[in-house]
Amino acid sequence: MKLPRLDLSMQKKTCRPAMFGRMWQSSRRSLRLDHSPPHQFACCQWQKSQRPSTGYLVYRWLVFLAVICVGIASFACQRLPRRYEGPPVKLNYFKWFIYFTNWGFMLIAIQSALALAVVHRYRAQTYNFSYEEEDVLTPRRFNTPLLCRMYWLSHNVATDLAFVITLIYWTLVYDPKLHDINALNLLVHGGNSMLMVCELLVTAHPLRAAHALYGSAVGLTYGVFSAIYWALGGTDRFNLPAIYPPLNWDKPGPAFGFVALCATVLMFVHGCATCLVALRLRLAARLRPARAQSDQLTLPTH
């Protein structure tokens, strides 16, 4: 009696679409801005209770006010560098908005405002912040509010942009003849990264590796904006055609290379930030063994 032969070619044809389908679904879940439980967006990693603490609320207010004050000072205190030797230039204050540094700082201000709003929301409403034993073993899913999604997105992008701005500015852009080293310059091009490192260490919500695409998308968007701005005859604050010397679209090859470099660095720094958050979660679990299972809920859930 002969056994029927299995058609291996048919199996391969049916398995491959199923495999790619599962990969596509997994990628879509990774890119979503969903996390459960959502109240962790309103909490500090190091607080004892599950309810947003007063200390964290004070921290959020201090961060928000500090960022707003530095942003206003950066806009209002524009002036020519002391070592500037070029032709006389009349400053246009609204050109503040064309710089990538200021895009990143505006995103930091947005994420700090949204973080403050999230904390106030969860402190004001009645919410079950406690976990039952069965909830720890089989965590319940909660819908992620739009406010939390907006905050998470802005936090991801602001973190990536802050690190890239600091790195690119001090390695490729800084020119002592065009830029003064003062408190405001250090705060905008160095304090931004220090603040976002502090945010990564203090907050309780996760950071997903797949969300690096959001920061890279903003970086590419700025590259397109700079090209359109140049094509329309826009100039920088010194009336030069390039907003940044490496981003000179009179030489499209190096300009494209600079945009690609920034997008690559954005992906890299997001990976570093993700590792930092993973270390924070592990350290928190070691310092509080009794809450180790609860802390695992801060990991990305797909």
Side-chain angles (χ1 to χ4, degrees):
M1 180 178 179
K2 294 184 178 180
L3 295 175
R5 292 184 179 180
L6 296 176
D7 192 345
L8 297 180
S9 62
M10 289 298 295
Q11 283 187 336
K12 291 181 179 179
K13 290 180 180 180
T14 55
C15 288
R16 286 178 181 175
M19 180 182 66
F20 286 117
R22 287 194 295 269
M23 292 174 60
W24 171 248
Q25 291 298 328
S26 178
S27 301
R28 287 184 58 189
R29 287 194 295 268
S30 299
L31 287 172
R32 288 176 186 169
L33 295 168
D34 291 324
H35 176 67
S36 181
H39 75 263
Q40 286 176 346
F41 291 103
C43 295
C44 171
Q45 180 72 66
W46 312 104
Q47 66 183 54
K48 295 181 179 179
S49 65
Q50 296 292 338
R51 182 178 294 276
S53 64
T54 303
Y56 187 60
L57 176 63
V58 172
Y59 166 79
R60 293 262 53 113
W61 267 108
L62 290 176
V63 169
F64 172 71
L65 293 175
V67 169
I68 293 300
C69 289
V70 173
I72 293 175
S74 174
F75 178 81
C77 298
Q78 298 180 69
R79 61 181 179 82
L80 293 176
R82 289 175 296 178
R83 299 180 183 180
Y84 178 71
E85 298 177 352
V89 176
K90 184 178 180 181
L91 288 178
N92 183 345
Y93 280 77
F94 288 99
K95 287 187 178 180
W96 185 89
F97 294 97
I98 69 174
Y99 289 95
F100 193 53
T101 295
N102 299 329
W103 280 36
F105 207 84
M106 285 189 291
L107 277 167
I108 292 177
I110 291 171
Q111 76 91 27
S112 63
L114 291 173
L116 183 60
V118 170
V119 174
H120 275 288
R121 168 179 177 161
Y122 280 98
R123 282 179 64 88
Q125 72 180 38
T126 303
Y127 190 85
N128 181 17
F129 294 97
S130 61
Y131 294 115
E132 300 294 339
E133 184 177 355
E134 60 271 15
D135 294 334
V136 174
L137 297 176
T138 57
R140 291 176 294 174
R141 300 290 299 178
F142 298 89
N143 291 327
T144 307
L146 178 60
L147 180 61
C148 294
R149 294 169 187 258
M150 293 171 60
Y151 161 61
W152 199 12
L153 177 61
S154 62
H155 174 85
N156 277 289
V157 177
T159 300
D160 295 349
L161 264 58
F163 295 157
V164 168
I165 287 167
T166 299
L167 181 62
I168 297 297
Y169 178 79
W170 294 110
T171 56
L172 298 178
V173 174
Y174 173 72
D175 184 349
K177 295 181 179 180
L178 300 178
H179 307 101
D180 291 332
I181 296 182
N182 50 37
L184 197 57
N185 191 12
L186 293 175
L187 285 172
V188 172
H189 295 104
N192 56 343
S193 293
M194 294 177 62
L195 173 61
M196 297 317 295
V197 169
C198 182
E199 291 278 78
L200 292 175
L201 295 175
V202 169
T203 54
H205 58 78
L207 196 69
R208 293 180 185 167
H211 289 176
L213 292 178
Y214 297 131
S216 296
V218 173
L220 293 174
T221 300
Y222 182 80
V224 174
F225 161 78
S226 67
I228 296 174
Y229 183 79
W230 166 83
L232 295 176
T235 60
D236 71 349
R237 61 176 182 158
F238 301 112
N239 290 329
L240 298 175
I243 300 177
Y244 293 105
L247 197 60
N248 187 353
W249 289 102
D250 287 330
K251 302 175 181 178
F256 275 116
F258 182 71
V259 173
L261 173 65
C262 290
T264 303
V265 176
L266 277 164
M267 301 283 282
F268 172 75
V269 298
H270 187 88
C272 294
T274 305
C275 293
L276 182 61
V277 171
L279 291 174
R280 182 199 76 202
L281 295 172
R282 181 165 295 185
L283 180 60
R286 285 193 175 186
L287 293 177
R288 295 178 183 171
R291 289 184 54 204
Q293 288 183 318
S294 296
D295 287 337
Q296 288 176 1
L297 296 178
T298 61
L299 292 172
T301 53
H302 306 305

